Amino acid sequence: MSWDSFKQHYHPYPELGLALDLSRLALPEDFLTAHEEAMQAAFKAMNELEAGAIANPDEGRMVGHYWLRDAALAPDAETRAAITDTLAQIKSFTADVHAGTIAGPHGAFTQLLVIGIGGSALGPQFVHHALGQPAADKMTVHFFDNTDPDGMDYTIAQIGDKLAETLAVVISKSGGTAETRNGMLEASVAFRAAGLDPARHLVAVTGTDSKLDKVAVAENWLARFPMWDWVGGRTSELCVVGLLPAALQGIDIDGMLAGAAAMDAQTRIGVTAENPAALLALAWHHATAGRGAKDMVVLPYKDRLLLFSRYLQQLIMESLGKELDLAGNVVNQGIAVYGNKGSTDQHAYVQQLREGVNNFFVTFIEVLKDRSGDSIEVNKGVTSGDYLQGFLLGTRDALSEKDRTSVTLTVNDVSPRTIGMLIALYERVVGFYASLIGINAYHQPGVEAGKKAAGGVIALKNDIQTVLADAPGKGYTAEDLAAEVDGDAELTFKILEHLAANGSLRKEAKEPWFESLYGA
């Protein structure tokens, strides 16, 4: 690496408190000029998106997450009012909860249970972990982010005897997401078991007239907040989905929105060299040959950014992982994303990154401010934070020595404003990159296919149990039972094993294993 290369490819944005270093990507001399026409087309597509163009033809909807931090940009007065009114509702409800005006049966709510999955959990979890201050938080936050019964039991056990002080926010746009619905039902059972009325603890965040909305109305839940069809799950952190849990925790949501708005303003600039999102999108394109040829390893050197890689995993992989391009051609696009944090990962998989398969590029995230107070010296004149930076810079050099490429993103601190900026930056990078490779970043047919397949498994399970219940005492092999229900033998076997492990049917083990018998 050379100082001249660094001077050419280091892009500081001091007004944002952010810098982008592309010097370790081995960029060609014509890096910007070769893609300028495509980048200008991406700017045009983004401008049309923000103006209200239909971005998801599958559902006939706009994509307006950028309006959330500047309602004036929304295409009509109704949408502008919906954004501003909902933000006011969030703040009013939060103030009433913190003041104890809205309270549980035994006093103020001190615990918050967020029930959601995918974008309805990953964003809130990331922000909760990044910005929480245990000594100052207004509420202690817990999550149901899966349909794992043991996981939910674990969370309820963590809440312990404070269930009466627990406010539960149920987040599902359609109101029919199975994992979230199951979490809501499990939480309701836990409340009832403690002698509590669930409706006095539950809040709905959902689409108007959705299944969840109708339940909340019928049962007279504490509050209902809207989700709009023009905000996708993976870009929902700066709507009610993320802002309500963050506000209830005590996080400065105005700071987050201000940071996102500042980043939006910078990334609307139509000059590629001045636009960090455009530069990063082109960096991804170069690093992966525009084909996802290499994975992205995200290494934030900050404990508070531990969950950022998980958040980016959904944002990037669900947006870019597409079979078809906009012309209907099979392209199988995407960028695989994984990571944890530095310097922890130096003791996990940096050995392979440096000397194994060269099938990745690294995104290092550097945070300049170590902590809010003074630091001790762990060696003369050296702090723990100095070591953390040393490990980042040293690892980056060690990878460069072996022609492993990397991008470095530097921010001043981990604050609400910075987190808002990071969210807005990567939302825009994904949109630009999708334009460069000609795919739709705003639909997710693969996710729907998985949900449909899961529904088929549940239907098969019900058919199996019906057959067994109608023939008490009779034993079936998995193959015989599959024939009875006209189902797949492997799926039938897996369902039978699960039912047997949970005491829902009896199993008589045989040799070979596939001759085992199952019955009611």
Side-chain angles (χ1 to χ4, degrees), residues 194-217:
L196 303 167
D197 176 6
R200 307 277 42 88
H201 296 261
L202 292 168
V203 173
V205 178
T206 189
T208 302
D209 293 328
S210 73
K211 295 177 182 178
L212 176 59
D213 194 42
K214 291 174 181 176
V215 169
V217 170

Side-chain angles (χ1 to χ4, degrees), residues 75-334:
D76 55 70
E78 182 181 0
T79 304
R80 290 192 289 272
I83 295 168
T84 55
D85 291 351
T86 301
L87 183 58
Q89 184 190 2
I90 291 169
K91 293 179 178 180
S92 175
F93 179 81
T94 297
D96 286 342
V97 170
H98 291 168
T101 306
I102 297 175
H106 303 303
F109 288 120
T110 65
Q111 310 295 305
L112 175 63
L113 174 61
V114 180
I115 303 173
I117 196 166
S120 297
L122 288 168
Q125 286 172 321
F126 162 52
V127 170
H128 156 67
H129 185 78
L131 298 176
Q133 300 288 345
D137 285 348
K138 301 290 188 180
M139 302 180 76
T140 302
V141 188
H142 313 268
F143 292 89
F144 279 2
D145 66 347
N146 201 359
T147 187
D148 178 6
D150 182 60
M152 288 184 277
D153 287 347
Y154 183 88
T155 299
I156 293 297
Q158 285 183 313
I159 295 172
D161 61 3
K162 294 186 177 180
L163 206 57
E165 304 170 23
T166 300
L167 180 70
V169 176
V170 185
I171 307 171
S172 172
K173 183 192 293 185
S174 69
T177 305
E179 297 94 333
T180 304
R181 176 181 176 273
N182 295 351
M184 181 265 289
L185 293 174
E186 294 265 5
S188 296
V189 167
F191 283 127
R192 291 193 187 99
L196 303 167
D197 176 6
R200 307 277 42 88
H201 296 261
L202 292 168
V203 173
V205 178
T206 189
T208 302
D209 293 328
S210 73
K211 295 177 182 178
L212 176 59
D213 194 42
K214 291 174 181 176
V215 169
V217 170
E219 298 181 359
N220 193 26
W221 287 15
L222 285 175
R224 293 152 50 231
F225 291 84
M227 290 181 72
W228 306 294
D229 63 1
W230 42 267
V231 178
R234 58 191 173 278
T235 55
S236 64
E237 175 54 29
L238 296 180
C239 75
V240 184
V241 168
L243 295 181
L244 179 60
L248 288 166
Q249 184 178 346
I251 290 168
D252 175 14
I253 61 173
D254 286 331
M256 290 174 59
L257 291 168
M263 180 59 71
D264 285 341
Q266 185 70 42
T267 55
R268 286 191 188 102
I269 294 173
V271 179
T272 304
E274 299 175 15
N275 188 319
L279 289 170
L280 202 46
L282 288 174
W284 290 3
H285 194 278
H286 173 77
T288 70
R291 292 279 309 124
K294 290 191 175 184
D295 302 339
M296 183 189 307
V297 181
V298 180
L299 284 179
Y301 276 67
K302 200 69 173 176
D303 286 2
R304 285 186 175 273
L305 298 181
L306 166 68
L307 299 183
F308 193 41
S309 59
R310 288 184 61 197
Y311 171 78
L312 290 179
Q313 197 170 60
Q314 184 198 18
L315 176 64
I316 294 169
M317 295 180 72
E318 194 168 278
S319 297
L320 303 181
K322 302 295 161 63
E323 180 181 20
L324 305 177
D325 65 12
L326 294 172
N329 302 308
V330 175
V331 292
N332 299 118
Q333 276 284 3

Side-chain angles (χ1 to χ4, degrees), residues 8-20:
Q8 181 181 357
H9 296 297
Y10 179 75
H11 302 272
Y13 303 89
E15 66 283 0
L16 295 177
L18 178 141
L20 181 63

Side-chain angles (χ1 to χ4, degrees), residues 387-441:
Y387 268 106
L388 187 64
Q389 185 189 43
F391 284 126
L392 185 158
L393 298 178
T395 300
R396 195 174 64 155
D397 280 347
L399 294 179
S400 294
E401 289 171 0
K402 294 290 187 178
D403 297 321
R404 270 59 171 169
T405 57
S406 67
V407 170
T408 302
L409 184 66
T410 300
V411 294
N412 286 346
D413 55 22
V414 178
S415 63
R417 185 175 186 273
T418 297
I419 294 300
M421 285 196 307
L422 288 174
I423 290 170
L425 172 64
Y426 278 92
E427 285 177 349
R428 186 117 19 195
V429 175
V430 162
F432 284 155
Y433 184 85
S435 293
L436 291 174
I437 62 174
I439 58 101
N440 186 343

